[in-house]
Amino acid sequence: MQKAAKEATVENNSDNNIAVAIDGTWQKRGYTSHNGVVTVTSMDTGKAIHVEVLKYYAYKNKQNHEKRCKNNFHGLSGRTL
């Protein structure tokens, strides 16, 4: 992926401000999935330049949940900006 990111930068005249497409998915539909993935793909080369694996942990104790869980989105799925 580092090589693909470097190729995309070279393709963009050595400017690291490159155009990307981002897509993600969860293992299961609905609210039961605990595993997901997000990929970042260069628009110029079509190669994946970053992948992030997502884990959702459900804690019975809300304080443990707030300490350990990284929340990266607030809102509804399908929400438009």
Side-chain angles (χ1 to χ4, degrees):
M1 282 190 276
Q2 289 176 345
K3 183 178 176 184
K6 189 168 190 152
E7 285 178 24
T9 302
V10 168
E11 185 77 22
N12 197 32
N13 298 321
S14 297
D15 183 3
N16 64 357
N17 189 13
I18 60 176
V20 296
I22 301 171
D23 193 19
T25 187
W26 289 97
Q27 185 179 10
K28 296 188 263 183
R29 290 173 44 170
Y31 297 100
T32 60
S33 186
H34 292 264
N35 304 301
V37 66
V38 175
T39 58
V40 179
T41 306
S42 166
M43 296 292 289
D44 295 324
T45 64
K47 295 181 180 180
I49 58 174
H50 186 76
V51 175
E52 187 74 27
V53 176
L54 306 172
K55 285 284 223 188
Y56 172 77
Y57 297 98
Y59 294 99
K60 292 180 182 180
N61 181 328
K62 188 175 179 177
Q63 288 177 336
N64 284 343
H65 173 78
E66 290 173 355
K67 288 179 190 173
R68 295 182 180 173
C69 184
K70 290 192 308 183
N71 192 358
N72 58 5
F73 178 78
H74 294 283
L76 303 172
S77 64
R79 178 178 169 188
T80 58
L81 301 174

